[in-house]
Amino acid sequence: MGKVAAKLKVMPESPEIDLDDLQEKLEASLPEGAQINGFERDDVAFGLVALLPTVIVADGAGGTEVVEEAFGEVDGVESISVENVGRV
């Protein structure tokens, strides 16, 4: 089975969220078998900055779904969307 790299867009609940802390919480919440291959930040609007982690997961049933669910349970996360997916 191969692997895929997915760039996710993680929107914090507010501009007051500490992005470094949120990034650490996202890394800690990763399910087994998934890994983060770097973070980017994207200025959205009015001081709100989205985190854009690139996540490597197995190319199996469900794909990024387990990572999205894990990230969704992290305090301070408003929403998660998949921006881009490609094979590694």
Side-chain angles (χ1 to χ4, degrees):
M1 185 181 317
K3 294 188 177 207
V4 296
K7 182 177 278 189
L8 305 178
K9 185 172 195 172
V10 179
M11 295 296 295
E13 291 177 343
S14 75
E16 287 80 34
I17 297 287
D18 180 346
L19 294 178
D20 292 329
D21 184 48
L22 183 58
Q23 184 172 320
E24 288 176 13
K25 289 179 183 177
L26 293 174
E27 290 172 337
S29 75
L30 274 178
E32 188 174 324
Q35 67 184 47
I36 293 179
N37 192 29
F39 277 90
E40 294 177 29
R41 295 185 181 191
D42 182 30
D43 293 327
V44 179
F46 306 108
L48 189 61
V49 179
L51 290 176
L52 301 168
T54 299
V55 181
I56 310 293
V57 293
D59 184 19
T64 63
E65 223 170 88
V66 291
V67 175
E68 292 174 65
E69 289 173 8
F71 283 2
E73 294 177 10
V74 172
D75 287 339
V77 172
E78 176 68 30
S79 66
I80 300 110
S81 61
V82 178
E83 296 291 298
N84 198 347
V85 178
R87 289 188 177 262
V88 176

